[in-house]
Amino acid sequence: MVYRIIETLIQGLDEAIGGGFTRPGLIYIVGHPGTGKTTLAVHYAYNRAIHFGEKTKYFLLTEPLSLFIDRIRLLKFERLDEFLEKYLSIEGALPLGGYEDIIKAAEHVLEDIASGGYQNLVIDSLSSLIRGLNPGEVAGVLNMLFNAISERDLTTIIIGEIPMFTEIQLPGVEEFMADVVIRLDYVDKRGEGLVIRLTPIKMRLGAIDRKYYEAAIDVDGFKIIGPLIQK
């Protein structure tokens, strides 16, 4: 396998993070609720599907599958139906269902990945695991996933949440293992209201400037508007 950078083709993102995502590699996207973490991951998967024919396995841990599909369908991507039917495969499990349900779903995900038909994996989200399982169980799921994907030519995105009003303790291993780390949060822009701020934290390949960028999400997906000016 050749360790390389691949384009996300999301407006402004590749330039902001030093060229794109890594392959093989682990991408950690962490941020406040509603800042576009899932939209970013789906938009990336869509772009890689439509432009390069890549398939994505999506491990959904945050909400029922039907609700997730309904939310994706709010996006006005030109070839959305084709993407959903041919290029996106979703395995859903809610952590409140218990450890055995999560393990069974994770095994299904890894069986599909082992078939070699997927180039991308999204785990959405790490925070849901932490809310629903005890620390030992979370470690068991993560070890199972990380060991299975570590030697595959795969781009893996892990989503984590930073609560607005409470605290949640993330394992921390995802930050150290990640090749790319992106943080999304809300900040006040010139006293006019909250905007989404994207901060590139880490990139193993290429150079990042660690500047703040203003981001936005709408029916066209995720986009970088430009450098964030707060003064």
Side-chain angles (χ1 to χ4, degrees):
M1 292 182 291
V2 178
Y3 188 53
R4 60 210 186 272
I5 294 177
I6 62 169
E7 297 174 303
T8 71
L9 300 178
I10 293 175
Q11 177 181 316
L13 182 61
D14 292 333
E15 294 79 5
I17 63 175
F21 291 166
T22 53
R23 180 171 295 162
L26 182 63
I27 317 302
Y28 185 45
I29 302 173
V30 62
H32 287 156
T35 50
K37 303 179 297 297
T38 295
T39 302
L40 193 163
V42 170
H43 198 164
Y44 159 80
Y46 173 85
N47 285 347
R48 295 301 301 185
I50 299 307
H51 293 277
F52 302 101
E54 294 184 0
K55 295 181 66 178
T56 295
K57 190 71 183 181
Y58 206 105
F59 193 13
L60 178 65
L61 300 162
T62 56
E63 59 189 328
L65 177 58
S66 59
L67 181 58
F68 180 67
I69 293 295
D70 287 345
R71 289 206 296 135
I72 292 179
R73 288 195 177 279
L74 295 175
L75 297 169
K76 302 302 181 184
F77 294 162
E78 183 177 356
R79 296 165 61 182
L80 184 61
D81 288 340
E82 178 185 358
F83 168 64
L84 292 174
E85 292 170 8
K86 292 179 57 177
Y87 297 105
L88 185 67
S89 173
I90 306 170
E91 183 76 33
L94 295 178
L96 293 179
Y99 182 64
E100 294 302 322
D101 286 348
I102 296 295
I103 287 294
K104 188 176 298 184
E107 288 174 347
H108 291 162
V109 169
L110 296 179
E111 286 171 4
D112 283 350
I113 293 297
S115 71
Y118 294 89
Q119 293 75 41
N120 304 288
L121 169 65
V122 179
I123 303 171
D124 186 0
S125 71
L126 178 60
S127 308
S128 294
L129 282 179
I130 294 168
R131 291 190 187 98
L133 305 178
N134 66 48
E137 291 171 337
V138 172
V141 174
L142 292 180
N143 286 336
M144 177 182 178
L145 291 169
F146 288 165
N147 289 338
I149 66 178
S150 61
E151 296 183 358
R152 296 194 174 278
D153 195 27
L154 192 73
T155 297
T156 300
I157 297 174
I158 294 181
I159 294 174
E161 293 181 0
I162 304 173
M164 294 284 288
F165 306 111
T166 59
E167 293 186 3
I168 183 170
Q169 186 65 43
L170 297 173
V173 63
E174 69 284 347
E175 298 180 16
F176 296 103
M177 292 182 64
D179 300 275
V180 178
V181 178
I182 296 170
R183 178 187 170 102
L184 296 165
D185 58 8
Y186 289 113
V187 294
D188 183 66
K189 183 179 179 181
R190 298 177 177 178
E192 299 173 358
L194 295 179
V195 297
I196 299 171
R197 176 176 63 182
L198 181 145
T199 310
I201 301 294
K202 178 182 179 182
M203 174 58 160
R204 290 196 196 276
L205 289 178
I208 57 173
D209 52 25
R210 293 187 175 84
K211 292 181 179 178
Y212 294 134
Y213 292 88
E214 182 177 348
I217 48 174
D218 56 26
V219 295
D220 295 320
F222 189 94
K223 68 186 72 174
I224 300 292
I225 296 174
L228 178 62
I229 302 174
Q230 293 178 252
K231 295 183 180 180

